Amino acid sequence: MTEVARTRVAIVGAGPAGLLLSHLLAASGIESIVVDRRTREEIEGTIRAGILEQGTVDLLVASGASTRVLTDGRRHDGIELWFAGEGHRIDFPALVGRSVWLYPQHEVLRDLVAARLAAGQDLRLGATVERVDGADSARPRVIGTDADGAPFEIEADFVVGADGSRSVVRTAVTEGTRGDLFREYPFAWFGILCEAPPSSEELIYSNSPDGFALISQRSPTVQRMYFQCDPDTDPEALSEAQIWDELRKRVPGTSLVEGPVFQRDVLRFRSFVAPELRRGRVALMGDAAHTVPPTGAKGMNLAIADVVLLHTALTALLLEDDERGIDAYAEVALRRIWKAQHFSWWMTTMLHSTPDAADFDRRRQLGELRSVVESEAGRTYLAEAYTGWPLESRLV
Ligand code: PHB
């Protein structure tokens, strides 16, 4: 016998977007069921980026989803763009009156999981979703097997796919077509976590003849750093000495504090937007709807912007039978998504070197970097996009 559960909103994916949506819906009196194929340890242990936009932080705090971000996170008032042997600071508050916060995504997840469990959220982990049926009907259904291998179905008024870049829900929305809205890049990031104090007060994004590097942070004793590598690099193939050599030559003129490397990974990335974000009573958000390269630190923040819109649209639909918001969802969300796509692509192409770059390309890139750092308008655009455009909740 298949267990059939009924709820108002079925959310597939217990990442930051799925959990925050369930949190906001609950505050509006709308119950939901959240399912994810991962266990709690896997969800909370996934290593992801660490920069939150001002608007993301304000929302986490105002909604009661995380107040720890204010005590355990750290405000960053700028970044350093490093090229041609020199650093150039982009001063966020002076340019746009906002900042960003360094607070790793898995900490956001820990806060959200704890908040949802404390509130009695129906959260089904270790459950594999096979498909979503009935997108065009009034009662779409999520079909899968639970942690013990028993089949289940969830019948809902609305289904949200927040199930990441390999989304299963996406098939119900796009009928399996991938579309052609994507870009691949001929490089990846070699990422490390190491035990050391910070090498600099703020993040350093560096363009060098040897390729890109990012010096980021996690805590006073743990640092996160990345350097551009070939997408086929085996993370185990480099010795610690080789890793530090690569990093050092890419941030010439800074003094990197080295320490034991205890975690390493190779991150491939691409830009992608799903050809459709909604069909009938199924919608996509977060990485299920779009992915961006990590250079602009936009991934999770963009997912949160989708959550805000979907929360407004679903409250109007489910509490007032008003369909205008959900009808406008894709169009309104896509405006910000394409701005973020552009910004992430721009930061990526401005800072990385391509394997076939000619001397012309390299000098043009330095010209581009100079036009940003030597112009208040250029620095302001970067600061506006990096700290995040204001979060919109209005759809109509
Ligand atoms: C990180 O700390 O992991 C991080 C920070 C900024 C980025 C990407 C990743 O742009």
Side-chain angles (χ1 to χ4, degrees):
M1 273 295 286
T2 301
E3 187 224 327
V4 181
R6 282 168 228 285
T7 188
R8 299 221 76 188
V9 183
I11 301 171
V12 183
L19 290 170
L20 184 62
L21 181 65
S22 75
H23 181 83
L24 297 179
L25 287 173
S28 305
I30 299 174
E31 50 122 24
S32 63
I33 297 179
V34 181
V35 290
D36 199 293
R37 94 191 124 67
R38 296 168 298 171
T39 62
R40 183 172 179 181
E41 292 68 41
E42 284 167 341
I43 289 171
E44 293 180 354
T46 312
I47 294 172
R48 291 278 180 91
I51 292 289
L52 305 186
E53 292 174 1
Q54 182 82 59
T56 301
V57 171
D58 294 346
L59 176 63
L60 288 173
V61 173
S63 69
S66 167
T67 45
R68 216 158 54 89
V69 56
L70 295 180
T71 49
D72 295 15
R74 262 163 324 131
R75 201 182 78 215
H76 279 228
D77 287 339
I79 56 168
E80 193 99 48
L81 276 190
W82 198 276
F83 60 92
E86 265 184 328
H88 305 262
R89 182 162 189 261
I90 311 289
D91 182 334
F92 298 150
L95 292 161
V96 293
R98 298 193 294 269
S99 300
V100 294
W101 292 71
L102 187 101
Y103 188 64
Q105 184 169 325
H106 65 264
E107 299 293 345
V108 177
L109 279 164
R110 276 179 54 198
D111 297 344
L112 281 166
V113 170
R116 294 319 300 136
L117 289 177
Q121 171 69 40
D122 187 340
L123 177 58
R124 304 176 178 204
L125 302 180
T128 308
V129 170
E130 274 149 31
R131 63 178 198 281
V132 172
D133 279 354
D136 293 316
S137 76
R139 302 288 291 165
R141 289 192 300 174
V142 175
I143 295 160
T145 46
D146 68 17
D148 303 320
F152 73 83
E153 284 188 20
I154 304 168
E155 195 183 277
D157 292 329
F158 205 94
V159 174
V160 175
D163 51 342
S165 55
R166 295 202 185 88
S167 172
V168 172
V169 181
R170 195 160 61 219
T171 314
V173 174
T174 64
E175 297 183 308
T177 49
R178 178 171 80 154
D180 55 6
L181 302 175
F182 65 88
R183 276 282 173 282
E184 312 265 0
Y185 299 86
F187 36 75
W189 280 8
F190 195 108
I192 61 157
L193 282 172
C194 67
E195 272 169 51
S199 289
S200 126
E201 283 195 7
E202 295 176 339
L203 272 58
I204 302 175
Y205 287 80
S206 178
N207 165 300
S208 83
D210 294 292
F212 171 76
L214 168 59
I215 310 304
S216 184
Q217 314 172 358
R218 282 294 174 270
S219 72
T221 54
V222 172
Q223 310 311 318
R224 180 77 164 143
M225 303 181 190
Y226 303 93
F227 60 89
Q228 175 183 350
C229 68
D230 184 279
D232 293 323
T233 307
D234 169 7
E236 301 310 323
L238 271 71
S239 68
E240 285 198 30
Q242 285 172 316
I243 291 174
W244 289 112
D245 268 357
E246 289 297 334
L247 280 165
R248 246 184 283 111
K249 71 183 179 192
R250 287 152 197 249
V251 279
T254 66
S255 37
L256 275 190
V257 187
E258 301 177 17
V261 174
F262 63 90
Q263 209 274 340
R264 42 171 85 199
D265 46 9
V266 169
L267 276 85
R268 291 172 171 237
F269 49 85
R270 58 188 197 134
S271 303
F272 167 74
V273 180
E276 310 285 345
L277 299 193
R278 176 224 166 194
R279 176 167 154 202
R281 286 189 167 240
V282 182
L284 305 174
M285 64 178 188
D287 282 359
H290 41 72
T291 54
V292 289
T295 325
K298 281 281 149 277
M300 178 172 116
N301 296 293
L302 195 53
I304 300 302
D306 295 343
V307 172
V308 172
L309 291 177
L310 262 185
H311 170 242
T312 310
L314 290 178
T315 347
L317 178 72
L318 301 176
L319 299 182
E320 291 155 35
D321 222 9
D322 180 349
E323 296 186 353
R324 288 175 304 160
I326 198 65
D327 284 346
Y329 168 64
E331 192 193 322
V332 175
L334 282 166
R335 289 182 206 148
R336 187 188 189 96
I337 292 166
W338 280 108
K339 279 164 69 170
Q341 283 293 358
H342 170 69
F343 177 66
S344 308
W345 169 91
W346 175 68
M347 286 284 277
T348 303
T349 53
M350 180 167 69
L351 289 163
H352 291 70
S353 46
T354 48
D356 58 355
D359 203 27
F360 176 88
D361 303 305
R362 166 108 206 103
R363 288 173 195 236
R364 185 206 58 76
Q365 210 177 32
L366 292 174
E368 185 177 9
L369 281 157
R370 277 199 202 290
S371 13
V372 175
V373 302
E374 291 174 7
S375 143
E376 184 165 336
R379 293 194 304 276
T380 304
Y381 167 66
L382 199 158
E384 247 175 22
Y386 195 93
T387 58
W389 305 284
L391 279 174
E392 285 283 345
S393 63
R394 263 174 61 99
L395 287 132
V396 283

